[in-house]
Structure formats: C-alpha cells, structure tokens
mmCIF file of all heavy atoms in Angstrom:
data_model
loop_
_atom_site.group_PDB
_atom_site.id
_atom_site.type_symbol
_atom_site.label_atom_id
_atom_site.label_comp_id
_atom_site.label_asym_id
_atom_site.label_seq_id
_atom_site.Cartn_x
_atom_site.Cartn_y
_atom_site.Cartn_z
ATOM 1 N N GLN A 1 -4.768 14.380 -4.632
ATOM 2 C CA GLN A 1 -3.816 13.481 -5.210
ATOM 3 C C GLN A 1 -2.915 12.908 -4.100
ATOM 4 O O GLN A 1 -2.575 11.685 -4.201
ATOM 5 C CB GLN A 1 -2.933 14.252 -6.130
ATOM 6 C CG GLN A 1 -3.702 14.719 -7.451
ATOM 7 C CD GLN A 1 -3.891 13.565 -8.424
ATOM 8 O OE1 GLN A 1 -3.909 12.430 -8.058
ATOM 9 N NE2 GLN A 1 -4.211 13.945 -9.672
ATOM 10 N N PHE A 2 -2.476 13.550 -3.154
ATOM 11 C CA PHE A 2 -1.770 13.085 -2.004
ATOM 12 C C PHE A 2 -2.499 11.884 -1.377
ATOM 13 O O PHE A 2 -1.905 10.925 -1.060
ATOM 14 C CB PHE A 2 -1.444 14.152 -0.984
ATOM 15 C CG PHE A 2 -0.706 13.659 0.229
ATOM 16 C CD1 PHE A 2 0.607 13.596 0.237
ATOM 17 C CD2 PHE A 2 -1.372 13.250 1.293
ATOM 18 C CE1 PHE A 2 1.423 13.135 1.357
ATOM 19 C CE2 PHE A 2 -0.702 12.758 2.424
ATOM 20 C CZ PHE A 2 0.648 12.697 2.383
ATOM 21 N N GLY A 3 -3.766 12.148 -1.071
ATOM 22 C CA GLY A 3 -4.514 11.119 -0.450
ATOM 23 C C GLY A 3 -4.725 9.808 -1.186
ATOM 24 O O GLY A 3 -4.636 8.696 -0.821
ATOM 25 N N LEU A 4 -4.912 10.074 -2.574
ATOM 26 C CA LEU A 4 -5.114 8.936 -3.490
ATOM 27 C C LEU A 4 -3.884 8.152 -3.754
ATOM 28 O O LEU A 4 -3.927 6.954 -4.140
ATOM 29 C CB LEU A 4 -5.744 9.466 -4.817
ATOM 30 C CG LEU A 4 -7.116 9.988 -4.777
ATOM 31 C CD1 LEU A 4 -7.485 10.641 -6.079
ATOM 32 C CD2 LEU A 4 -8.130 8.987 -4.302
ATOM 33 N N ALA A 5 -2.733 8.815 -3.614
ATOM 34 C CA ALA A 5 -1.468 8.127 -3.889
ATOM 35 C C ALA A 5 -1.184 6.955 -3.023
ATOM 36 O O ALA A 5 -0.512 5.962 -3.461
ATOM 37 C CB ALA A 5 -0.273 9.169 -3.742
ATOM 38 N N LYS A 6 -1.744 6.961 -1.782
ATOM 39 C CA LYS A 6 -1.636 5.908 -0.949
ATOM 40 C C LYS A 6 -2.178 4.569 -1.608
ATOM 41 O O LYS A 6 -1.565 3.494 -1.494
ATOM 42 C CB LYS A 6 -2.298 6.018 0.371
ATOM 43 C CG LYS A 6 -2.112 4.892 1.393
ATOM 44 C CD LYS A 6 -2.860 5.151 2.703
ATOM 45 C CE LYS A 6 -2.623 3.932 3.571
ATOM 46 N NZ LYS A 6 -3.379 4.022 4.873
ATOM 47 N N ARG A 7 -3.300 4.729 -2.253
ATOM 48 C CA ARG A 7 -3.892 3.516 -2.903
ATOM 49 C C ARG A 7 -3.294 3.301 -4.233
ATOM 50 O O ARG A 7 -3.019 2.137 -4.590
ATOM 51 C CB ARG A 7 -5.355 3.816 -3.055
ATOM 52 C CG ARG A 7 -6.214 2.594 -3.655
ATOM 53 C CD ARG A 7 -7.641 3.051 -3.930
ATOM 54 N NE ARG A 7 -8.554 1.896 -4.027
ATOM 55 C CZ ARG A 7 -8.731 1.223 -5.243
ATOM 56 N NH1 ARG A 7 -8.044 1.657 -6.237
ATOM 57 N NH2 ARG A 7 -9.689 0.292 -5.283
ATOM 58 N N ASN A 8 -3.009 4.323 -5.081
ATOM 59 C CA ASN A 8 -2.731 4.203 -6.425
ATOM 60 C C ASN A 8 -1.195 3.813 -6.595
ATOM 61 O O ASN A 8 -0.795 3.488 -7.763
ATOM 62 C CB ASN A 8 -2.947 5.459 -7.132
ATOM 63 C CG ASN A 8 -4.485 5.791 -7.319
ATOM 64 O OD1 ASN A 8 -5.276 4.850 -7.128
ATOM 65 N ND2 ASN A 8 -4.809 6.982 -7.632
ATOM 66 N N THR A 9 -0.443 3.849 -5.556
ATOM 67 C CA THR A 9 0.972 3.610 -5.725
ATOM 68 C C THR A 9 1.435 2.301 -5.030
ATOM 69 O O THR A 9 2.614 1.971 -4.793
ATOM 70 C CB THR A 9 1.933 4.712 -5.233
ATOM 71 O OG1 THR A 9 1.666 4.971 -3.816
ATOM 72 C CG2 THR A 9 1.626 5.991 -6.036
ATOM 73 N N LEU A 10 0.489 1.520 -4.656
ATOM 74 C CA LEU A 10 0.876 0.210 -4.001
ATOM 75 C C LEU A 10 1.595 -0.702 -4.919
ATOM 76 O O LEU A 10 1.261 -0.763 -6.138
ATOM 77 C CB LEU A 10 -0.414 -0.528 -3.582
ATOM 78 C CG LEU A 10 -1.167 -0.055 -2.353
ATOM 79 C CD1 LEU A 10 -2.537 -0.864 -2.235
ATOM 80 C CD2 LEU A 10 -0.321 -0.255 -1.112
ATOM 81 N N PRO A 11 2.702 -1.294 -4.467
ATOM 82 C CA PRO A 11 3.443 -2.218 -5.318
ATOM 83 C C PRO A 11 2.637 -3.487 -5.604
ATOM 84 O O PRO A 11 1.729 -3.753 -4.944
ATOM 85 C CB PRO A 11 4.769 -2.469 -4.515
ATOM 86 C CG PRO A 11 4.315 -2.260 -3.072
ATOM 87 C CD PRO A 11 3.301 -1.030 -3.094
ATOM 88 N N ARG A 12 3.104 -4.176 -6.611
ATOM 89 C CA ARG A 12 2.322 -5.477 -7.042
ATOM 90 C C ARG A 12 2.275 -6.360 -5.864
ATOM 91 O O ARG A 12 1.301 -7.134 -5.739
ATOM 92 C CB ARG A 12 3.085 -6.069 -8.242
ATOM 93 C CG ARG A 12 2.812 -5.286 -9.536
ATOM 94 C CD ARG A 12 3.679 -5.929 -10.637
ATOM 95 N NE ARG A 12 5.125 -5.562 -10.416
ATOM 96 C CZ ARG A 12 6.099 -6.021 -11.211
ATOM 97 N NH1 ARG A 12 5.818 -6.713 -12.285
ATOM 98 N NH2 ARG A 12 7.360 -5.621 -10.960
ATOM 99 N N GLU A 13 3.262 -6.454 -5.015
ATOM 100 C CA GLU A 13 3.184 -7.444 -3.927
ATOM 101 C C GLU A 13 2.086 -7.098 -2.985
ATOM 102 O O GLU A 13 1.429 -7.992 -2.438
ATOM 103 C CB GLU A 13 4.603 -7.371 -3.132
ATOM 104 C CG GLU A 13 4.654 -8.395 -2.042
ATOM 105 C CD GLU A 13 6.102 -8.558 -1.484
ATOM 106 O OE1 GLU A 13 7.098 -8.254 -2.179
ATOM 107 O OE2 GLU A 13 6.249 -8.773 -0.276
ATOM 108 N N CYS A 14 1.830 -5.821 -2.731
ATOM 109 C CA CYS A 14 0.648 -5.443 -1.866
ATOM 110 C C CYS A 14 -0.635 -5.747 -2.635
ATOM 111 O O CYS A 14 -1.627 -6.255 -1.886
ATOM 112 C CB CYS A 14 0.742 -3.925 -1.639
ATOM 113 S SG CYS A 14 2.042 -3.488 -0.511
ATOM 114 N N LEU A 15 -0.704 -5.570 -3.841
ATOM 115 C CA LEU A 15 -1.970 -5.849 -4.622
ATOM 116 C C LEU A 15 -2.323 -7.239 -4.554
ATOM 117 O O LEU A 15 -3.550 -7.629 -4.631
ATOM 118 C CB LEU A 15 -1.849 -5.301 -6.111
ATOM 119 C CG LEU A 15 -1.624 -3.819 -6.273
ATOM 120 C CD1 LEU A 15 -1.477 -3.474 -7.706
ATOM 121 C CD2 LEU A 15 -2.796 -3.033 -5.701
ATOM 122 N N ARG A 16 -1.344 -8.205 -4.561
ATOM 123 C CA ARG A 16 -1.573 -9.658 -4.422
ATOM 124 C C ARG A 16 -1.696 -10.099 -3.074
ATOM 125 O O ARG A 16 -2.058 -11.263 -2.855
ATOM 126 C CB ARG A 16 -0.471 -10.334 -5.176
ATOM 127 C CG ARG A 16 -0.337 -10.051 -6.672
ATOM 128 C CD ARG A 16 0.628 -11.016 -7.323
ATOM 129 N NE ARG A 16 2.024 -10.815 -6.892
ATOM 130 C CZ ARG A 16 2.998 -10.152 -7.330
ATOM 131 N NH1 ARG A 16 2.653 -9.511 -8.539
ATOM 132 N NH2 ARG A 16 4.150 -10.145 -6.837
ATOM 133 N N CYS A 17 -1.462 -9.285 -2.041
ATOM 134 C CA CYS A 17 -1.332 -9.763 -0.702
ATOM 135 C C CYS A 17 -2.769 -10.126 -0.084
ATOM 136 O O CYS A 17 -3.706 -9.301 -0.235
ATOM 137 C CB CYS A 17 -0.624 -8.718 0.245
ATOM 138 S SG CYS A 17 -0.596 -9.145 1.912
ATOM 139 N N GLN A 18 -2.834 -11.196 0.585
ATOM 140 C CA GLN A 18 -4.107 -11.607 1.230
ATOM 141 C C GLN A 18 -4.569 -10.643 2.420
ATOM 142 O O GLN A 18 -5.706 -10.727 2.822
ATOM 143 C CB GLN A 18 -4.015 -13.005 1.762
ATOM 144 C CG GLN A 18 -2.939 -13.221 2.903
ATOM 145 C CD GLN A 18 -2.941 -14.635 3.345
ATOM 146 O OE1 GLN A 18 -3.950 -15.200 3.692
ATOM 147 N NE2 GLN A 18 -1.727 -15.241 3.434
ATOM 148 N N TYR A 19 -3.568 -9.858 2.870
ATOM 149 C CA TYR A 19 -3.854 -8.883 4.018
ATOM 150 C C TYR A 19 -4.035 -7.557 3.486
ATOM 151 O O TYR A 19 -4.118 -6.597 4.383
ATOM 152 C CB TYR A 19 -2.832 -9.068 5.028
ATOM 153 C CG TYR A 19 -2.603 -10.424 5.548
ATOM 154 C CD1 TYR A 19 -1.376 -11.090 5.463
ATOM 155 C CD2 TYR A 19 -3.591 -11.094 6.170
ATOM 156 C CE1 TYR A 19 -1.138 -12.273 5.966
ATOM 157 C CE2 TYR A 19 -3.421 -12.401 6.712
ATOM 158 C CZ TYR A 19 -2.197 -13.003 6.568
ATOM 159 O OH TYR A 19 -1.983 -14.330 7.056
ATOM 160 N N ARG A 20 -4.139 -7.328 2.312
ATOM 161 C CA ARG A 20 -4.211 -5.954 1.719
ATOM 162 C C ARG A 20 -5.385 -5.128 2.370
ATOM 163 O O ARG A 20 -5.153 -3.988 2.723
ATOM 164 C CB ARG A 20 -4.423 -5.924 0.278
ATOM 165 C CG ARG A 20 -4.567 -4.592 -0.421
ATOM 166 C CD ARG A 20 -4.962 -4.681 -1.885
ATOM 167 N NE ARG A 20 -5.326 -3.391 -2.426
ATOM 168 C CZ ARG A 20 -5.785 -3.220 -3.666
ATOM 169 N NH1 ARG A 20 -5.851 -4.265 -4.447
ATOM 170 N NH2 ARG A 20 -6.064 -1.995 -4.125
ATOM 171 N N GLN A 21 -6.507 -5.806 2.525
ATOM 172 C CA GLN A 21 -7.706 -5.054 3.022
ATOM 173 C C GLN A 21 -7.625 -4.725 4.522
ATOM 174 O O GLN A 21 -8.329 -3.931 5.088
ATOM 175 C CB GLN A 21 -8.908 -5.787 2.802
ATOM 176 C CG GLN A 21 -9.258 -6.065 1.308
ATOM 177 C CD GLN A 21 -9.270 -4.764 0.544
ATOM 178 O OE1 GLN A 21 -9.913 -3.759 0.894
ATOM 179 N NE2 GLN A 21 -8.563 -4.812 -0.606
ATOM 180 N N LEU A 22 -6.570 -5.250 5.203
ATOM 181 C CA LEU A 22 -6.342 -5.012 6.559
ATOM 182 C C LEU A 22 -5.391 -3.779 6.792
ATOM 183 O O LEU A 22 -5.507 -3.057 7.875
ATOM 184 C CB LEU A 22 -5.831 -6.245 7.324
ATOM 185 C CG LEU A 22 -6.676 -7.486 7.230
ATOM 186 C CD1 LEU A 22 -6.022 -8.541 8.044
ATOM 187 C CD2 LEU A 22 -8.037 -7.190 7.873
ATOM 188 N N CYS A 23 -4.399 -3.582 5.979
ATOM 189 C CA CYS A 23 -3.505 -2.461 6.233
ATOM 190 C C CYS A 23 -3.428 -1.490 5.083
ATOM 191 O O CYS A 23 -2.985 -0.322 5.337
ATOM 192 C CB CYS A 23 -2.105 -3.000 6.532
ATOM 193 S SG CYS A 23 -1.139 -3.508 5.024
ATOM 194 N N HIS A 24 -3.833 -1.854 3.870
ATOM 195 C CA HIS A 24 -3.723 -0.966 2.721
ATOM 196 C C HIS A 24 -2.352 -0.360 2.472
ATOM 197 O O HIS A 24 -2.226 0.783 2.098
ATOM 198 C CB HIS A 24 -4.793 0.160 2.783
ATOM 199 C CG HIS A 24 -6.194 -0.376 2.838
ATOM 200 N ND1 HIS A 24 -6.776 -0.979 1.665
ATOM 201 C CD2 HIS A 24 -7.054 -0.566 3.821
ATOM 202 C CE1 HIS A 24 -8.025 -1.384 2.001
ATOM 203 N NE2 HIS A 24 -8.281 -1.124 3.319
ATOM 204 N N GLY A 25 -1.332 -1.158 2.819
ATOM 205 C CA GLY A 25 0.020 -0.560 2.716
ATOM 206 C C GLY A 25 0.523 0.217 3.900
ATOM 207 O O GLY A 25 1.598 0.761 3.935
ATOM 208 N N GLU A 26 -0.336 0.334 4.940
ATOM 209 C CA GLU A 26 -0.067 1.179 6.079
ATOM 210 C C GLU A 26 0.330 2.598 5.744
ATOM 211 O O GLU A 26 0.024 3.059 4.643
ATOM 212 C CB GLU A 26 0.931 0.427 7.013
ATOM 213 C CG GLU A 26 0.785 0.784 8.559
ATOM 214 C CD GLU A 26 2.020 1.620 9.070
ATOM 215 O OE1 GLU A 26 3.029 1.818 8.244
ATOM 216 O OE2 GLU A 26 2.019 1.977 10.219
ATOM 217 N N CYS A 27 1.099 3.298 6.659
ATOM 218 C CA CYS A 27 1.362 4.701 6.455
ATOM 219 C C CYS A 27 2.430 4.904 5.286
ATOM 220 O O CYS A 27 3.454 4.233 5.295
ATOM 221 C CB CYS A 27 1.933 5.317 7.707
ATOM 222 S SG CYS A 27 2.276 7.052 7.612
ATOM 223 N N PRO A 28 2.114 5.837 4.356
ATOM 224 C CA PRO A 28 3.085 6.150 3.232
ATOM 225 C C PRO A 28 4.484 6.498 3.858
ATOM 226 O O PRO A 28 5.507 6.329 3.123
ATOM 227 C CB PRO A 28 2.437 7.292 2.597
ATOM 228 C CG PRO A 28 0.943 7.137 2.721
ATOM 229 C CD PRO A 28 0.813 6.555 4.178
ATOM 230 N N LYS A 29 4.490 7.021 5.112
ATOM 231 C CA LYS A 29 5.814 7.381 5.614
ATOM 232 C C LYS A 29 6.745 6.231 5.771
ATOM 233 O O LYS A 29 7.984 6.398 5.566
ATOM 234 C CB LYS A 29 5.573 7.948 7.114
ATOM 235 C CG LYS A 29 6.808 8.091 8.007
ATOM 236 C CD LYS A 29 6.425 8.481 9.333
ATOM 237 C CE LYS A 29 7.675 8.680 10.226
ATOM 238 N NZ LYS A 29 8.381 7.439 10.611
ATOM 239 N N HIS A 30 6.201 5.052 5.902
ATOM 240 C CA HIS A 30 7.000 3.854 6.049
ATOM 241 C C HIS A 30 7.255 3.036 4.713
ATOM 242 O O HIS A 30 7.850 1.926 4.673
ATOM 243 C CB HIS A 30 6.382 2.913 7.058
ATOM 244 C CG HIS A 30 6.278 3.428 8.457
ATOM 245 N ND1 HIS A 30 5.257 3.225 9.237
ATOM 246 C CD2 HIS A 30 7.215 4.159 9.104
ATOM 247 C CE1 HIS A 30 5.473 3.850 10.376
ATOM 248 N NE2 HIS A 30 6.640 4.436 10.349
ATOM 249 N N ARG A 31 6.733 3.562 3.563
ATOM 250 C CA ARG A 31 6.720 2.808 2.317
ATOM 251 C C ARG A 31 7.992 3.205 1.487
ATOM 252 O O ARG A 31 7.805 3.801 0.426
ATOM 253 C CB ARG A 31 5.380 3.052 1.544
ATOM 254 C CG ARG A 31 4.270 2.254 2.270
ATOM 255 C CD ARG A 31 2.854 2.685 1.896
ATOM 256 N NE ARG A 31 2.603 2.702 0.512
ATOM 257 C CZ ARG A 31 1.395 2.889 -0.072
ATOM 258 N NH1 ARG A 31 0.382 3.092 0.712
ATOM 259 N NH2 ARG A 31 1.206 2.916 -1.358
ATOM 260 N N PHE A 32 9.097 2.849 2.081
ATOM 261 C CA PHE A 32 10.368 3.182 1.359
ATOM 262 C C PHE A 32 11.223 1.995 0.995
ATOM 263 O O PHE A 32 12.311 2.035 0.541
ATOM 264 C CB PHE A 32 11.161 4.174 2.185
ATOM 265 C CG PHE A 32 11.460 3.680 3.614
ATOM 266 C CD1 PHE A 32 12.490 2.705 3.886
ATOM 267 C CD2 PHE A 32 10.718 4.158 4.679
ATOM 268 C CE1 PHE A 32 12.700 2.314 5.242
ATOM 269 C CE2 PHE A 32 10.933 3.721 6.000
ATOM 270 C CZ PHE A 32 11.928 2.783 6.295
ATOM 271 N N ALA A 33 10.754 0.743 1.240
ATOM 272 C CA ALA A 33 11.402 -0.512 0.965
ATOM 273 C C ALA A 33 11.113 -0.940 -0.472
ATOM 274 O O ALA A 33 10.175 -0.492 -1.079
ATOM 275 C CB ALA A 33 11.151 -1.576 1.900
ATOM 276 N N ALA A 34 11.808 -1.819 -1.004
ATOM 277 C CA ALA A 34 11.622 -2.523 -2.254
ATOM 278 C C ALA A 34 11.028 -3.853 -2.046
ATOM 279 O O ALA A 34 11.434 -4.676 -1.125
ATOM 280 C CB ALA A 34 12.926 -2.657 -3.097
#
C-alpha cells in the first residue's frame, strides 16, 4: 500500500500534466504542497 500510494494519490494537476510519465509526481517526501 505504501508503494502504490505514490501512484494512487496523485493530485488532479499531476494526472493532467503532460510530463506525468517523466516524473510520476517524483518522491512522496516532497509531495506536501497544494
């Protein structure tokens, strides 16, 4: 579940991003912004 959360908790902005496949939201450690 920890590993899958990286993919499953992407915000809508990431899901629509043209660069999603290049970074996949990068490290969850840095995913604290709105």
Side-chain angles (χ1 to χ4, degrees):
Q1 293 285 19
F2 176 88
L4 293 174
K6 180 180 181 184
R7 185 187 197 274
N8 291 344
T9 61
L10 285 172
R12 285 172 291 178
E13 188 169 328
C14 289
L15 297 177
R16 296 191 296 262
C17 180
Q18 63 180 310
Y19 303 119
R20 175 187 173 184
Q21 299 305 315
L22 300 181
C23 79
H24 298 288
E26 208 249 355
C27 182
K29 169 185 183 288
H30 296 140
R31 287 162 55 171
F32 54 80

